[in-house]
Amino acid sequence: LLFQFCSLVPLTGRRQLSLVSDADMFSTSLVQYDQFLKENKLSTNTAETNLVRRVGNRIKNAVTIYFAQNDLSQELNGFAWEFNLIESEEVNAWCMPGGKVVVYSGILPVTQDETGLAVVMAHEIAHAVAKHSNERMSQALLAQLGGQTLAVALREKPRQTQDIWMTVFGVGVQLGAVLPYSRLQEGEADHLGLIFMAMAGYDPNGAIAFWQR
């Protein structure tokens, strides 16, 4: 039965559990993203904000080209990319389904330069385009709510669903305290992220120094 609810990870071909439609993921992401922006302060540092958006757009363009080259452009339908820098001491960043990317200012001292930031953003964007959040959300719904659809869970157990959502994305969680993705998914994001950043014109060797830091 679960095999019927499996899909293929774009580009790698790995089978993943998929109980949640892209449409539901995107619409829920938009609600959660808007709420997050209301509750958190955007950075007033113009140079750093522009840096985040410049890197984000270069990675986005690389992703678009890479998917087109592999005849998978349809997998990006519904993405409405956006890049924001949040004032926070947290060493964190994430990308929700649909391309909503948030970088916390606390990670910039660790990224140090544009290449380091490209490592982070390409990795987080890779999670989104590989639909890891859908897979993780599906696993959580199956484990905690008996496989209910996202729409039913939102309607019948909104608080519990919100908690699952925040756990899936690691929103507000210190990097290293909670891993919202499995090691398999992290490896996939590392692999794809290196490809995306290289296509965007960044040296993927810079990833080694970043992860050491």
Side-chain angles (χ1 to χ4, degrees):
L1 178 62
L2 289 178
F3 190 82
Q4 299 176 20
F5 296 101
C6 285
S7 60
L8 297 180
V9 178
L11 304 173
T12 69
R14 178 178 64 83
R15 288 198 172 274
Q16 61 184 176
L17 183 64
S18 181
L19 299 174
V20 187
S21 70
D22 285 346
D24 282 342
M25 289 298 291
F26 291 166
S27 62
T28 305
S29 289
L30 185 58
V31 171
Q32 299 290 351
Y33 179 73
D34 287 345
Q35 185 63 33
F36 176 85
L37 292 184
K38 290 176 183 176
E39 296 173 354
N40 293 271
K41 183 180 179 182
L42 291 173
S43 174
T44 57
N45 187 313
T46 302
E48 291 180 347
T49 298
N50 288 340
L51 173 64
V52 166
R53 290 175 178 167
R54 179 168 68 252
V55 173
N57 279 303
R58 287 177 64 173
I59 300 295
K60 175 200 71 174
N61 291 337
V63 169
T64 302
I65 292 170
Y66 191 54
F67 271 63
Q69 290 175 343
N70 288 274
D71 298 321
L72 290 169
S73 293
Q74 71 279 0
E75 297 290 341
L76 299 177
N77 290 344
F79 273 67
W81 298 92
E82 190 172 327
F83 309 97
N84 276 306
L85 178 65
I86 296 295
E87 287 191 7
S88 171
E89 295 182 357
E90 288 189 36
V91 181
N92 206 354
W94 42 261
C95 177
M96 284 190 176
K100 304 301 185 185
V101 181
V102 162
V103 175
Y104 294 68
S105 59
I107 204 170
L108 297 183
V110 184
T111 59
Q112 293 188 355
D113 55 23
E114 189 162 336
T115 298
L117 183 58
V119 175
V120 172
M121 297 186 73
H123 175 93
E124 297 303 330
I125 287 171
H127 277 307
V129 299
K131 301 185 179 180
H132 289 162
S133 52
N134 187 319
E135 181 178 17
R136 179 71 171 177
M137 192 73 186
S138 298
Q139 292 167 341
L141 289 172
L142 182 65
Q144 299 184 38
L145 301 179
Q148 286 182 333
T149 65
L150 180 58
V152 171
L154 284 169
R155 184 174 64 251
E156 296 184 357
K157 298 183 179 180
R159 182 65 222 173
Q160 191 170 352
T161 306
Q162 168 118 1
D163 291 343
I164 293 173
W165 186 272
M166 291 305 183
T167 300
V168 165
F169 291 102
V171 176
V173 176
Q174 289 285 346
L175 185 66
V178 174
L179 280 176
Y181 295 105
S182 71
R183 297 314 307 171
L184 176 62
Q185 292 166 332
E186 292 292 349
E188 266 182 350
D190 283 339
H191 184 184
L192 293 174
L194 291 173
I195 293 171
F196 298 152
M197 69 175 292
M199 290 185 66
Y202 298 106
D203 181 3
N205 289 298
I208 299 171
F210 165 76
W211 288 115
Q212 288 174 335
R213 290 193 299 272

